[in-house]
Amino acid sequence: MSALTSKKNKSSKFGHLPLSTSGPQKCTLTGSALLTSPFYNKGSAFPPNEREDFKLYALLPHSVQTLESQVGRAYEQYSSCQDALAKNTFMTSMKDQNIVLYYKLIQKHLKALFNIIYTPTEGAAIQNFSRLFRRPEGCFLNIIDQDRVHENLAQWGGPAAIDYIVVSDGEEILGLGDQGVGAILISVAKLVLTTLCAGIHPSRTLPVVLDCGTDNPQLIQDELYLGLRRRRVRGEKYNDFIDKFVQAASELYPRAFVHFEDFGLKNAKRILDKYRPELACFNDDIQGTGCITLAAIMSGLHVSKLKLTEVRVIVFGSGTAGIGIADQIRDAITVETGDSKEIASTQIWCVDKPGLLLQSQSDDLTHGQKPYARDDKDWQEKAHGDLLSVVREVKPHALIGTSTCPKAFTEEIVMEMAKHVERPMIFPLSNPTRLHEADPQDLYTWTRGKALIATGSPFPPVEYDGIKYEVAECNNSTAFPGIGLGAILSRSRLLSDEMLVAAIKVIADKSPALKDPAKGLVPDITDVREISVHVAKAVIRQAIDEGLAREKEIPDDDGELEEWVREQMWEPRYRELVRA
């Protein structure tokens, strides 16, 4: 069985649901039109009866193959590609031809393909978007045509046609900076992960790019660049553009979950805060990173026998990801204790280039940073201009790195931290690997195997003093697909803090470290589809408790709810086709 294949069978009890994936599939296409539809095409796997019914006999070779044999041939073709970018291009071409084969191939060879279809290789594809362009995918909206946003966005079906929208303005892509219109590919890639990891129906997703221009001079000067060749538009015109998109998306697709991706530091948090009270929306850079990191912290607290209300956290690197993590920790403390967010934030110290964030720096702080700025009076007699000084004063239980400053967690800093806490939680999360704040091998050596570690990229197991330690990867894909699935199936009106905390607790409860402290603090990506089922259940239950769920026929029984969720998760298998 594939690592991402559901462990339990579908339930015919819920086969009547609109998103049911049991039974035959109606199809209006025939002949060449059917073969060119990636959602219905089976290629050489069309059985004889379907070749007859859909007029395919003369269009296919005689032999009928299984999906498994197609996967074997496709992997041979994939393996013949000379480099990672060529493999990424091959997978994109396959996705355009046969959706089922595309996802089945990834499922079977997940470890080999994940870094090809997503970071880091997808980053290279985004950088080369205009040069590798073959055919468009998704919705391209640009800021000079604001009056046409509603009309242009309306081309993807009726109000119930779209479940999940990923939208980016391309200003901060995967640590690569401003990539302009190439951001459409990050929207596409994130939606691939929702299908792969949580069974979101691929035909019911919509990738969107908001082309606001670009401040990347290489793109502006590139004659092949396909986006607006002008400096990025900001200010009131930009805000109006965002608002027109959100309002149009809400009106046209009122059941859709909106996922903001890779917006710039000054815009990401304020946009999320503005629209969270209006619709079910999410920012993966802020909330997704925060969710999976907090799940790792909760697992670490269990191993350390500490409570969330006791933890002291330093976040080194106070950009979008760092503040997102701080927000998630603060919100979880608030949910746990009932205290205000202001009180909860006192357990978190944010450090950036000038050192500890202070209230006197207010004019230079972003919207997201200001809640964490410390009172200058409390630090007048204390050194606070560098990370080591802050670690000495705070004596943190957890040190989180989102700074992109390689080797910033020095031996002196780590040893200072380990003086004061029994099991220091140290998370060098910056990507790619060359920008990590510390190497796991060093961290285990410096702390004599006591550190609890999670990283932002995959690392092999580390051996220290005869014990092999698994290094957990804080991969957002373990969190956001299941959260989105729960929001979609419940048709939740909003995505609340409590719904996110419910999801986090499920992920933390699935931590391998709870049974063996030498194992990872969060589950491996290969287990994510099964975990997404339970994350979705928790999100749905919380949405019901808060009166946010609009879906009326959600089962009360836990076992039935699980069947109900599984039945509506898309899987890469060929369903019988019948003429519509």
Side-chain angles (χ1 to χ4, degrees):
M1 180 179 289
S2 164
L4 283 182
T5 299
S6 179
K7 297 178 182 176
K8 299 185 180 180
N9 294 327
K10 297 284 184 177
S11 170
S12 59
K13 180 176 182 178
F14 298 110
H16 65 284
L17 296 169
L19 295 182
S20 169
T21 54
S22 296
Q25 192 172 16
K26 292 182 180 180
C27 179
T28 60
L29 305 175
T30 60
S32 297
L34 175 54
L35 293 178
T36 56
S37 169
F39 298 108
Y40 294 104
N41 182 29
K42 301 180 183 181
S44 59
F46 277 107
N49 65 306
E50 291 181 0
R51 295 183 183 210
E52 178 75 35
D53 293 345
F54 291 92
K55 304 184 187 308
L56 299 174
Y57 261 115
L59 302 177
L60 291 167
H62 175 75
S63 178
V64 177
Q65 297 187 308
T66 63
L67 176 56
E68 287 68 28
S69 63
Q70 288 181 319
V71 168
R73 181 174 59 238
Y75 190 66
E76 284 187 15
Q77 295 169 350
Y78 166 88
S79 299
S80 70
C81 297
Q82 294 184 345
D83 56 41
L85 190 55
K87 290 177 178 178
N88 177 279
T89 302
F90 173 84
M91 293 302 294
T92 299
S93 178
M94 178 179 291
K95 182 168 175 281
D96 290 341
Q97 298 171 49
N98 186 328
I99 285 287
V100 169
L101 179 55
Y102 170 82
Y103 282 104
K104 194 67 175 180
L105 177 62
I106 299 172
Q107 276 194 353
K108 185 164 185 179
H109 301 281
L110 179 66
K111 287 291 189 181
L113 270 66
F114 193 87
N115 291 342
I116 298 296
I117 62 166
Y118 193 53
T119 180
T121 311
E122 187 65 14
I126 291 168
Q127 287 179 301
N128 288 278
F129 171 73
S130 294
R131 295 183 175 274
L132 296 176
F133 181 82
R134 293 182 179 179
R135 64 186 297 271
E137 179 177 6
C139 179
F140 297 80
L141 303 175
N142 74 70
I143 200 163
I144 63 174
D145 290 326
Q146 291 199 36
D147 293 340
R148 297 215 299 250
V149 166
H150 190 282
E151 175 188 348
N152 292 343
L153 199 58
Q155 299 179 64
W156 276 265
I162 299 297
D163 289 327
Y164 202 121
I165 297 171
V166 176
V167 58
S168 178
D169 74 349
E171 188 170 6
E172 289 289 344
I173 298 289
L174 295 174
L176 300 172
D178 193 334
Q179 296 300 316
V181 77
I184 190 65
L185 294 187
I186 194 60
S187 296
V188 170
K190 285 291 185 177
L191 288 171
V192 165
L193 296 182
T194 67
T195 299
L196 180 69
C197 300
I200 307 296
H201 291 235
S203 62
R204 299 178 59 82
T205 64
L206 178 59
V208 179
V209 62
L210 303 178
D211 188 355
C212 304
T214 177
D215 288 340
N216 185 332
Q218 291 179 315
L219 295 181
I220 292 176
Q221 294 164 15
D222 186 352
E223 292 183 359
L224 293 180
Y225 178 60
L226 292 168
L228 289 175
R229 293 175 63 185
R230 56 161 295 165
R231 293 295 297 256
R232 186 170 284 274
V233 177
R234 303 185 183 277
E236 185 176 350
K237 191 172 182 179
Y238 173 86
N239 294 336
D240 289 345
F241 186 36
I242 300 297
D243 194 62
K244 286 179 181 177
F245 162 75
V246 171
Q247 301 309 325
S250 299
E251 181 181 336
L252 292 166
Y253 310 112
R255 296 153 64 103
F257 182 72
V258 177
H259 172 143
F260 297 106
E261 184 70 28
D262 287 341
F263 283 73
L265 176 61
K266 293 183 178 179
N267 293 321
K269 183 71 165 60
R270 68 177 185 85
I271 289 173
L272 179 65
D273 288 348
K274 178 177 180 179
Y275 293 109
R276 278 194 80 191
E278 298 181 17
L279 74 157
C281 63
F282 180 83
N283 184 304
D284 188 45
D285 308 293
I286 297 173
Q287 295 164 298
T289 302
C291 284
I292 191 61
T293 305
L294 179 54
I297 289 175
M298 285 183 166
S299 302
L301 291 174
H302 180 89
V303 174
S304 306
K305 297 180 172 56
L306 291 170
K307 296 179 181 178
L308 184 62
T309 52
E310 300 171 334
V311 71
R312 298 183 299 275
V313 181
I314 290 179
V315 179
F316 180 60
S318 302
T320 301
I323 294 301
I325 292 167
D327 283 351
Q328 207 58 65
I329 297 169
R330 176 201 64 190
D331 293 347
I333 294 170
T334 299
V335 170
E336 196 84 7
T337 64
D339 290 337
S340 68
K341 291 186 177 184
E342 290 74 21
I343 292 175
S345 66
T346 61
Q347 292 180 227
I348 304 162
W349 289 259
C350 290
V351 180
D352 212 66
K353 292 176 183 177
L356 183 69
L357 299 188
L358 298 173
Q359 292 175 358
S360 60
Q361 304 160 354
S362 179
D363 290 346
D364 298 319
L365 300 180
T366 67
H367 170 77
Q369 292 171 338
K370 289 180 180 180
Y372 300 99
R374 293 275 164 167
D375 191 329
D376 292 66
K377 294 177 182 177
D378 296 337
W379 287 83
Q380 282 182 344
E381 305 299 326
K382 302 173 185 177
H384 54 76
D386 60 86
L387 180 59
L388 176 59
S389 299
V390 179
V391 168
R392 280 183 178 141
E393 290 294 335
V394 173
K395 301 175 178 57
H397 300 96
L399 176 60
I400 298 167
T402 54
S403 67
T404 67
C405 295
K407 307 299 182 183
F409 295 170
T410 63
E411 181 176 3
E412 187 178 10
I413 288 172
V414 172
M415 295 286 282
E416 178 65 31
M417 183 179 178
K419 285 181 188 177
H420 308 288
V421 293
E422 180 65 22
R423 301 299 303 270
M425 289 178 275
I426 307 176
F427 298 172
L429 300 181
S430 291
N431 281 316
T433 305
R434 61 182 173 80
L435 299 179
H436 265 39
E437 288 81 5
D439 186 279
Q441 181 69 69
D442 290 335
L443 295 176
Y444 282 116
T445 301
W446 296 337
T447 63
R448 299 182 180 180
K450 292 184 177 181
L452 298 169
I453 300 170
T455 59
S457 296
F459 275 86
V462 171
E463 189 166 331
Y464 176 79
D465 198 22
I467 300 175
K468 184 175 285 188
Y469 296 92
E470 292 183 5
V471 181
E473 180 191 0
C474 281
N475 191 321
N476 293 17
S477 302
T478 310
F480 79 83
I483 293 169
L485 178 64
I488 288 169
L489 296 186
S490 64
R491 301 298 173 192
S492 183
R493 188 167 49 82
L494 303 173
L495 182 66
S496 69
D497 292 342
E498 289 79 6
M499 291 164 72
L500 293 176
V501 171
I504 292 163
K505 288 181 177 179
V506 169
I507 298 169
D509 287 345
K510 301 292 182 182
S511 165
L514 301 189
K515 297 180 179 178
D516 181 353
K519 299 290 186 181
L521 290 175
V522 290
D524 189 78
I525 186 65
T526 55
D527 301 319
V528 66
R529 193 173 176 101
E530 193 66 20
I531 289 167
S532 289
V533 173
H534 299 285
V535 169
K537 284 171 54 184
V539 169
I540 291 167
R541 288 287 189 219
Q542 187 62 41
I544 294 170
D545 289 347
E546 294 183 63
L548 296 174
R550 292 177 291 184
E551 179 60 51
K552 301 300 182 185
E553 299 182 3
I554 301 174
D556 292 325
D557 178 77
D558 191 67
E560 287 197 353
L561 177 60
E562 185 167 325
E563 290 181 39
W564 186 81
V565 170
R566 291 182 188 278
E567 176 59 34
Q568 298 180 84
M569 293 172 68
W570 185 89
E571 291 183 357
R573 58 186 176 84
Y574 291 137
R575 294 169 63 185
E576 177 189 355
L577 295 183
V578 295
R579 293 286 293 269

